Structures are given as C-alpha cells and as structure tokens.
Amino acid sequence: MFDKIDHIGIAVGDLEKALSFYRDQIGLVFNGIEEIDEQKVRVAFLPVGESEIELLESTDPAGPVGKFIEKKGEGVHHLAFRVSDIEDKLEQLKEQGVALIDEKPRYGAGGAKIAFLHPKSTGGVLVELCER
Ligand code: CMX
C-alpha cells in the first residue's frame, strides 16, 4: 500500500543551526529552502538514500510546527510515506476508521500532493501521505 518512506520531518527552532549539523557536519546534500505559507513553515530537504530529511522551521508561533515546538520542543515531527493514488488511499483509510486530518490532498513542498493522518490513529505519530 505504501511504497517507501518519502521523508522524515524534523521540527527545528533555527534552520541555519540545524543545517550546520545535517549539511556541514554529517555531509548530507542540501537541496535549498522553500517557504510554504499555508503551513507557516520554511523547509529544507536533504536527500539520503531513497528518502529525505525535511527540516521544518516555523514562520509563525500559531502554525502547526510552532505549536509543536512550544509543546514538545524540537524533534521528529512527522513520518511521510510515498503513495500513488493518494485520493484512493485516503478513501480506503477513512473506510477503515482511520482519523484523517486532511480528507482531500493539498499541495506541499516541491509541489507534492500531501495529506496528514491524525496521531490519535497512528500510535502517536503524525503520518503524512505524499504523492509525487
Ligand atoms: N506528532 C505527534 N503528535 C502530535 C503532533 C505531532 N507532530 N502534533 C500534534 N500532536 C498531538 C498533540 O500532542 C495532541 O495530543 P493530545 O491531544 O494527546 O494532547 C494532539 O495531537 C492535538 O494537538 P494540538 O497541539 O492540540 O494541536 P492541534 O489540534 O492544533 O493540531 C494537528 C494538531 C496534528 C492536527 C496539526 O498540527 C496538523 O494539522 N498538522 C498537520 C499539518 C502540519 O504538520 N504541517 C507542517 C508540515 C509541513 C509539510 O511537511 O509540508
């Protein structure tokens, strides 16, 4: 059903500081920064193997990442699975009783279609479906 881990999202207080570890110290390739107004975040993607690390810096304390950092501090924020036919997957999961945050996909970083599942259905992990 899920093809692979597309990316792991990490909430950070300061993108530049986080890059000094992920890019400069452990040497991951840095593919640039994108601001996603709708999500109130600035993100940096760093591919590693078949997946990517997504560093998320909040641009608004009231946004989802700002609220997460205020409550839990910096750390792993979400796990994104690559899927095909995201609309079908959302429909199937809904029929199985999984709590969806997004009933319909929206557009995320890099123009991907994304949708979130609620952590109350996933063992406390914010899960994203991602179709590229
Ligand atoms: N991981 C695990 N649990 C999380 C979480 C996360 N990232 N974010 C929130 N939660 C938990 C909270 O701890 C809380 O649990 P309890 O009810 O047990 O206390 C519950 O979810 C509700 O959280 P909240 O702080 O009250 O926050 P909201 O209800 O306002 O929103 C959520 C929570 C998940 C619906 C919201 O953050 C959301 O819509 N997230 C999806 C969008 C997002 O994260 N975008 C940024 C990513 C950008 C990108 O990759 O494109």
Side-chain angles (χ1 to χ4, degrees), residues 7 36 39 41 54 56 64-65 67-68 71-72 77-78 101 106 108-109 114 116 118-119 124-126 128:
H7 64 269
I36 308 166
Q39 299 285 306
V41 285
E54 179 187 41
L56 303 149
V65 173
K67 282 169 71 179
F68 176 87
K71 209 167 164 182
K72 299 190 181 178
H77 178 263
H78 66 267
I101 293 172
R106 45 191 157 129
I114 63 167
F116 287 93
H118 201 284
V125 177
L126 180 60
E128 176 185 327

Side-chain angles (χ1 to χ4, degrees), residues 106-124:
R106 45 191 157 129
Y107 287 96
K113 275 181 170 181
I114 63 167
F116 287 93
L117 312 183
H118 201 284
K120 71 184 177 195
S121 284
T122 63

Side-chain angles (χ1 to χ4, degrees), residues 69-107:
I69 289 180
E70 190 191 337
K71 209 167 164 182
K72 299 190 181 178
E74 295 181 301
V76 174
H77 178 263
H78 66 267
L79 176 60
F81 291 101
R82 176 80 64 90
V83 299
S84 44
D85 296 325
I86 190 168
E87 287 89 353
D88 285 356
K89 297 286 187 298
L90 287 170
E91 198 56 46
Q92 286 169 27
L93 291 166
K94 191 179 175 183
E95 279 169 17
Q96 289 165 0
V98 174
L100 309 181
I101 293 172
D102 301 301
E103 301 245 341
K104 299 261 178 269
R106 45 191 157 129
Y107 287 96

